[in-house]
Amino acid sequence: MFQPKIPTMPQPTGLVTPPAVVEPATVTPAAHTPQLAPASAPVLSRPAVQLTPGTALALVGGGTAVVLVVGAVLVSMLLAVAVTATSTAVCAVVIRSLLTRH
């Protein structure tokens, strides 16, 4: 039960076909050349992102929501630490007063 059993590789059963032989193929390059775009085409420069008033308002609202949620989480964590520290201090004072009374 406590001795490891090493698995053995099973031998193939049934009809086994040998691997197919792959013959190399010859590659012939194409004879055509690619067409180049004309150099006189006008290039329009546009900013990558265009902010509309609605988009800007949505971004401000989303950022405000993220800040409020992260702030609420951090404040609740700080409150949990403060409550734990206060309860530990109260327990320490009670135990100390019980021990010094006797």
Side-chain angles (χ1 to χ4, degrees):
M1 178 174 167
F2 294 109
Q3 295 177 350
K5 294 183 176 146
I6 300 172
T8 58
M9 290 292 293
Q11 296 298 322
T13 58
L15 182 63
V16 178
T17 58
V21 177
V22 178
E23 296 179 10
T26 58
V27 177
T28 57
H32 72 282
T33 58
Q35 296 283 337
L36 297 177
S40 64
V43 177
L44 299 176
S45 62
R46 290 178 42 184
V49 177
Q50 292 181 350
L51 289 178
T52 62
T55 307
L57 188 63
L59 285 174
V60 169
T64 304
V66 167
V67 167
L68 289 177
V69 168
V70 169
V73 168
L74 291 177
V75 167
S76 64
M77 290 172 64
L78 181 63
L79 183 63
V81 169
V83 167
T84 304
T86 305
S87 64
T88 304
V90 168
C91 288
V93 168
V94 168
I95 290 173
R96 185 174 141 190
S97 69
L98 287 175
L99 291 176
T100 57
R101 211 179 266 176
H102 295 289

